Amino acid sequence: MPDNKFDRFINFSSISDKKKRTEIANTIYKQLQKKQSYSAVLTNENTDNFAAAIENILSNKVMQELCIKDSSLAEHITRDILDFMNKTKKQILITENPFENEQNLLENFKQINKDSYEETWETTASFIKENYKQIDVDSYNEEFIKSISLENDPKNFDIVKELFTEKWEGYLFQEKLKWELRIIDEQRKIFCEELYEKIEQLKKLQELLEPFTGELGRLWDMSKGRWQKVNFDILKEYAELLERDKPLQELAEMLGRMHQAEREYEKEIFADLIIKPDWKVEHASKAELVGIHESDDISSMLPAEAALLADENTELLFYKKFTEKKLQTFEYQAKILSWEEEEILKNCQKVKEETKGPFIICVDTSASMDGPSETVAKTLCFALLKKAVRDNRKCYLISFSTAIETLNLTDLKNNLEKLIDFLSMSFNGGTDASPAMIEALRMLDKEDYKKADIIMVSDCVMPDFDEQTKKQIIAAKENKTKFHSLEIGNSGNKKITENFDNNWVYDSNNKDCVLQLIRDINGIS
């Protein structure tokens, strides 16, 4: 994690060392993810008295579990803790200091001498007796009087004064520290109450929307007020409906895979390294007799050549043959196993990496969808939302009856309430699918939705699209956009389903095969 990640948040307290401030921020972040045990960095001295508060905040087990799985969430919470430290320190600085009068009294007493001792001691002694029982005021008074009587040793008075004021300062420092820690702890309780409430709400969302395990950081900035508006009951209801309805789960998974059906390939050249064994001959080594040849190797010469050397008449002939390397000698040969590397270039077809396209969901919210059809439509939308988040795909919802309403489900942090409103609404009104399809086609022109899959969920009890819309659908298909429909019931207008690449029927009466693929141009089942 870069050192400057928390720069905006680490200008807290009187810690002037930027390196130390950054170290504290990174230590909090790492401890949230359990990547570091409690560090010596987080001491009162290093954190300007926030050590106990930080340790207490970080002790929440649920928060640690979530942060271990989501580094983005750990980063958000680290910033919140640093922000809490900043605000609390400012609160301490603007709060009326209850020790101001005592500090002035102490500073004035530091300035006294032998002559002014008597006129200040009574006030000082009275204050000390009332506030610091542990300081023996009478003993110090005796020491002061004794030092005053020693006229030849004026330094003795200053020594007694220094001992007295140092003890006083020590107790004053402890009282100031207690006061400051009390404020920090009060602010910590307020901070933790809000922090842990958000953590619990986030935990509920994680359980209801499983794919958000790695996306919790995106939802963290929702304010406390907005968390309170989240209807977790409706989310839980549709999570349970989806869990029971396996066919809808399968359809959502199938729609997620459709975009992968048409794969693009590219040629890739790669080097294949082959290692082969190779026997190499070493002629200088004696291992195996393979024949006779001419050389000057006396140790390998034939007995006949040695006979030439034994006779004075042929001795010169021997030397001549030796000089010319023409002695008849045995030929030996040794073979050693070695390994050779050979690089072979090969061509292969590689699947092109392609980001999965977004979902554009058109949902029929007309009166004819009221009842079980409405539940099916909402549950499928819930399933597709989970799929989109899990695969990091954008998701855009268009609900239609006589008019249309749109909802960008990609920005869930700002639209969670609207999603809950959609799941809670009652379907009514007439049916006109053309405006919804026109809006979906319009979204295809946007950069983020160029490769979107369009899904329509309806009972299809509606008129067919107009000719202009049909032409736009054909043009979008040529640009590799896929159109899918889920017909709820089996009494819809077959003309309208002909506009889609893939059509499914949801038949609640057929328990053995609730989802039935009735037409699939691409042959995907």
Side-chain angles (χ1 to χ4, degrees), residues 128-303:
I128 297 298
K129 282 182 178 180
E130 184 180 346
N131 292 280
Y132 302 111
K133 307 293 185 189
Q134 55 272 58
I135 299 179
D136 190 344
V137 175
D138 294 333
S139 294
Y140 274 105
N141 185 34
E142 290 177 8
E143 292 296 323
F144 275 120
I145 292 171
K146 234 185 251 186
S147 67
I148 291 171
S149 66
L150 298 173
E151 296 181 2
N152 296 329
D153 190 5
K155 288 185 179 179
N156 200 37
F157 177 85
D158 292 332
I159 291 171
V160 176
K161 183 176 69 171
E162 185 176 343
L163 290 171
F164 175 73
T165 54
E166 278 183 1
K167 181 164 278 194
W168 183 2
E169 275 186 316
Y171 285 119
L172 175 57
F173 173 79
Q174 290 178 20
E175 290 303 311
K176 284 181 177 179
L177 179 61
K178 288 178 187 175
W179 171 76
E180 190 166 313
L181 289 175
R182 195 159 48 245
I183 294 176
I184 290 173
D185 195 54
E186 288 169 0
Q187 296 302 314
R188 176 198 62 78
K189 289 175 182 176
I190 296 169
F191 173 73
C192 283
E193 184 179 354
E194 182 176 341
L195 174 70
Y196 295 160
E197 182 182 350
K198 288 173 73 174
I199 288 291
E200 288 300 324
Q201 301 288 30
L202 209 61
K203 177 70 172 174
K204 288 180 184 178
L205 264 186
Q206 182 199 37
E207 292 167 354
L208 296 174
L209 303 174
E210 182 189 349
F212 283 101
T213 299
E215 299 290 333
L216 296 176
R218 284 166 49 183
L219 301 176
W220 184 248
D221 288 335
M222 293 180 71
S223 66
K224 179 180 177 183
R226 291 177 63 193
W227 275 119
Q228 291 175 338
K229 295 178 183 178
V230 175
N231 186 347
F232 289 98
D233 290 338
I234 196 74
L235 290 176
K236 184 177 181 181
E237 177 186 338
Y238 281 97
E240 290 173 351
L241 283 170
L242 180 61
E243 183 63 27
R244 292 196 297 268
D245 200 329
K246 299 299 181 186
L248 278 182
Q249 292 181 42
E250 291 169 8
L251 177 59
E253 289 296 325
M254 192 180 298
L255 288 169
R257 291 193 298 268
M258 283 292 182
H259 192 75
Q260 297 177 331
E262 288 190 10
R263 293 183 172 178
E264 293 184 25
Y265 294 89
E266 59 184 355
K267 184 181 287 187
E268 183 182 45
I269 299 174
F270 69 95
D272 192 6
L273 196 63
I274 298 175
I275 299 176
K276 301 189 302 183
D278 183 34
W279 288 94
K280 288 189 176 180
V281 175
E282 285 198 349
H283 296 283
S285 300
K286 292 183 179 180
E288 182 181 354
L289 181 61
V290 295
I292 296 172
H293 69 144
E294 292 181 339
S295 74
D296 60 353
D297 185 1
I298 295 175
S299 63
S300 300
M301 67 182 177
L302 272 58

Side-chain angles (χ1 to χ4, degrees), residues 10-24:
I10 60 177
N11 298 313
F12 58 87
S13 74
S14 56
I15 302 172
S16 57
D17 187 344
K18 182 179 178 181
K19 184 179 178 182
K20 184 173 285 188
R21 296 199 308 264
T22 303
E23 190 176 7
I24 291 168

Side-chain angles (χ1 to χ4, degrees), residues 213-462:
T213 299
E215 299 290 333
L216 296 176
R218 284 166 49 183
L219 301 176
W220 184 248
D221 288 335
M222 293 180 71
S223 66
K224 179 180 177 183
R226 291 177 63 193
W227 275 119
Q228 291 175 338
K229 295 178 183 178
V230 175
N231 186 347
F232 289 98
D233 290 338
I234 196 74
L235 290 176
K236 184 177 181 181
E237 177 186 338
Y238 281 97
E240 290 173 351
L241 283 170
L242 180 61
E243 183 63 27
R244 292 196 297 268
D245 200 329
K246 299 299 181 186
L248 278 182
Q249 292 181 42
E250 291 169 8
L251 177 59
E253 289 296 325
M254 192 180 298
L255 288 169
R257 291 193 298 268
M258 283 292 182
H259 192 75
Q260 297 177 331
E262 288 190 10
R263 293 183 172 178
E264 293 184 25
Y265 294 89
E266 59 184 355
K267 184 181 287 187
E268 183 182 45
I269 299 174
F270 69 95
D272 192 6
L273 196 63
I274 298 175
I275 299 176
K276 301 189 302 183
D278 183 34
W279 288 94
K280 288 189 176 180
V281 175
E282 285 198 349
H283 296 283
S285 300
K286 292 183 179 180
E288 182 181 354
L289 181 61
V290 295
I292 296 172
H293 69 144
E294 292 181 339
S295 74
D296 60 353
D297 185 1
I298 295 175
S299 63
S300 300
M301 67 182 177
L302 272 58
E305 300 289 18
L308 292 176
L309 185 61
D311 189 334
E312 292 182 357
N313 297 322
T314 58
E315 184 179 359
L316 290 176
L317 177 61
F318 172 85
Y319 291 133
K320 181 175 183 297
K321 293 178 73 173
F322 174 74
T323 305
E324 295 175 351
K325 297 182 180 183
K326 289 187 176 182
L327 291 172
Q328 295 291 308
T329 58
F330 293 111
E331 183 179 6
Y332 295 95
Q333 181 175 294
K335 291 183 179 179
I336 296 177
L337 178 63
S338 63
W339 301 90
E340 286 189 349
E341 292 182 354
E342 183 178 352
E343 189 176 85
I344 300 174
L345 297 179
K346 293 183 178 180
N347 293 328
C348 72
Q349 294 291 323
K350 177 187 173 185
V351 178
K352 233 180 185 180
E353 291 290 334
E354 188 172 3
T355 306
K356 294 178 183 178
F359 289 124
I360 299 176
I361 311 169
C362 302
V363 183
D364 184 355
T365 57
S366 64
S368 64
M369 290 282 287
D370 187 37
S373 299
E374 173 186 323
T375 303
V376 171
K378 289 176 178 178
T379 306
L380 180 61
C381 287
F382 189 84
L384 289 173
L385 171 62
K386 292 182 69 174
K387 178 71 179 171
V389 172
R390 189 179 67 198
D391 295 343
N392 198 26
R393 302 169 74 169
K394 294 185 179 297
C395 192
Y396 190 76
L397 176 66
I398 305 168
S399 58
F400 67 91
S401 55
T402 49
I404 66 168
E405 290 186 19
T406 62
L407 178 59
N408 181 7
L409 295 178
T410 305
D411 187 13
L412 194 65
K413 180 180 75 177
N414 294 316
N415 288 306
L416 185 58
E417 294 167 45
K418 292 180 181 178
L419 171 64
I420 290 170
D421 289 342
F422 167 75
L423 295 174
S424 306
M425 69 181 285
S426 297
F427 288 7
N428 55 64
T431 308
D432 186 0
S434 291
M437 184 56 70
I438 291 169
E439 171 65 10
L441 292 165
R442 184 188 70 81
M443 288 298 295
L444 294 176
D445 291 333
K446 294 184 176 293
E447 185 65 32
D448 291 344
Y449 284 87
K450 278 185 176 179
K451 295 184 177 181
D453 288 331
I454 295 177
I455 302 147
M456 190 177 78
V457 184
S458 172
D459 56 10
C460 294
V461 180
M462 63 180 80

